[in-house]
Amino acid sequence: MIDYALLFAMGCLSLALVMNLWRLLRGPLLTDRILALDTMAINAIALIVLAGIRWSSTLYFEAALLFAMVGFVSTVAYCRFLMRGDVIE
């Protein structure tokens, strides 16, 4: 039963990733694209965690943690670049 739930969740997250990719490519504003990129990182983290649950490996959880940190830093860097024009002062 848990396998079906995991497959359903992975399918939903994959669909969300495709929709985020569409927003990233067609976003009318730069802020929409940054939000789409941040949401894509969150959905990818969820997919990695679900894969870790499905294959019972702790390696996926560490990868998800690293991906979360990189995603957060990249979102902050994009926002700072958008607001100030540079990332490092």
Side-chain angles (χ1 to χ4, degrees), residues 28-66:
L29 300 175
L30 190 58
T31 54
D32 293 333
R33 293 177 179 184
I34 291 173
L35 264 174
L37 191 64
D38 188 48
T39 308
M40 282 180 79
I42 291 169
N43 287 335
I45 292 166
L47 270 176
I48 292 170
V49 168
L50 287 177
I53 292 170
R54 181 168 169 84
W55 288 299
S56 302
S57 173
T58 58
L59 182 65
Y60 290 98
F61 298 112
E62 293 174 7
L65 183 64
L66 289 174

Side-chain angles (χ1 to χ4, degrees), residues 1-2 6-8 10-11 14 16 21 25 31 33-34 49 62 65 68-69 71 75 77 79 84 86 89:
M1 186 68 184
I2 191 74
L6 286 172
L7 285 176
F8 178 73
M10 285 180 171
S14 298
L21 183 64
L25 296 176
T31 54
R33 293 177 179 184
I34 291 173
V49 168
E62 293 174 7
L65 183 64
M69 287 191 302
T75 301
C79 290
R84 298 184 182 173
D86 61 349
E89 296 180 50

